[in-house]
Amino acid sequence: MPPPEAESIKSLINIAGILALVFGIIWIIIGAITIASIIGVVFIVFGVVDILIYLQLKSITELIDRGRYREAKDKTLTWMIIGFILGGIIIGILLLVAYLKYDELLRKAAVAAPPPPPPPS
C-alpha cells in the first residue's frame, strides 16, 4: 500500500498531465489553423512540448508506483521547469506543489525502510 503522500503526488501529477494534454491539443490545433504565420509555428511548438510533458508525467507516475521516489522527484523538477517556461503556468504550479510534497514522502520512506540484514558469519 503506497503512502498517502505518494497518492497525493500522483493525483497532482495526473491533473497536470491531463491539463498538459488538453493544452497541447488546443495549441496544436490553433497552430495548424495559423500555420501561415510565425505565431502558428510557436503554437505548434508549445503544443508539442505540452504533449511531451504529458508523456513524461506518465513515466513519473510509474516511478512512484515502483517506490523510486528520489528519481521521480528529480524528473519532476526537470519537467516542472519546462512546464513553467513552455507548458503553462498552471502546469508548472501543479508540478511545483507535487515537487514540494516529495520531501515529506522521502522522509517517511527513509524512516519506514527496514535496516539491512546483518552480514553472514
Side-chain angles (χ1 to χ4, degrees), residues 34-77:
T34 60
I35 194 69
S37 68
I38 285 288
I39 294 175
V41 174
V42 171
F43 284 137
I44 290 175
V45 168
F46 285 158
V48 169
V49 168
D50 277 337
I51 300 293
L52 286 174
I53 290 171
Y54 167 74
L55 294 173
Q56 291 300 315
L57 293 182
K58 286 176 58 175
S59 69
I60 291 171
T61 302
E62 291 171 6
L63 289 173
I64 293 171
D65 288 338
R66 289 189 223 135
R68 296 166 58 186
Y69 304 130
R70 175 70 58 193
E71 192 175 336
K73 180 181 179 184
D74 294 340
K75 208 167 183 182
T76 301
L77 175 65

Side-chain angles (χ1 to χ4, degrees), residues 103-114:
D103 291 331
E104 185 178 343
L105 176 61
L106 289 170
R107 192 174 30 245
K108 286 188 177 184
V111 170

